[in-house]
Amino acid sequence: RSGTPRAAAPASKLTICQKNLDGLATACRLYYEEEEKLPDRLESLHERFIPSYPVCPSAGIDTYSEAFLVREEGQPFVLYCSGRHHAEAGLGVNEPSLEVKLDKP
């Protein structure tokens, strides 16, 4: 398709954001396998588990770090896009979100 590039539609921005969360969840599981604990900040994943810091395409900034900072020990670890950057796609505050599932023996 030719023509001038246009900004991504809300749905495709949401898809990219969800892929960012999937990638972070995978990185958290790999971190857990090596360290036997979940990371306490996004920076712990950088370089070894993720090549660069993910950016929400709707916000244009990192909206994922907050999930690491508010996580409580013993509670399910839920990654999310902080704020209300996907309202156009019909989502609320701190959505999309994704629980990090760990394979426990």
Side-chain angles (χ1 to χ4, degrees):
R1 206 168 86 191
S2 64
T4 55
R6 60 185 185 88
S12 63
K13 287 183 178 183
L14 175 59
T15 299
I16 294 167
C17 190
Q18 288 170 321
K19 285 184 179 176
N20 286 344
L21 289 171
D22 288 339
L24 285 174
T26 298
C28 286
R29 287 190 288 272
L30 292 170
Y31 183 94
Y32 185 83
E33 285 175 18
E34 285 191 15
E35 304 293 331
E36 297 181 2
K37 64 178 184 166
L38 285 164
D40 57 358
R41 59 193 209 285
L42 181 61
E43 290 82 6
S44 302
L45 300 174
H46 189 239
E47 292 178 355
R48 273 177 46 211
F49 302 100
I50 56 174
S52 60
Y53 291 98
V55 170
C56 169
S58 291
I61 57 171
D62 161 33
T63 56
Y64 311 108
S65 290
E66 182 179 300
F68 291 84
L69 304 175
V70 300
R71 186 179 154 270
E72 293 184 33
E73 201 63 45
Q75 296 299 310
F77 185 17
V78 178
L79 293 167
Y80 57 87
C81 176
S82 64
R84 195 177 167 86
H85 303 290
H86 299 283
E88 288 180 42
L91 298 184
V93 176
N94 296 343
E95 290 182 342
S97 64
L98 176 68
E99 183 176 337
V100 177
K101 305 260 190 219
L102 299 174
D103 298 324
K104 295 193 177 171

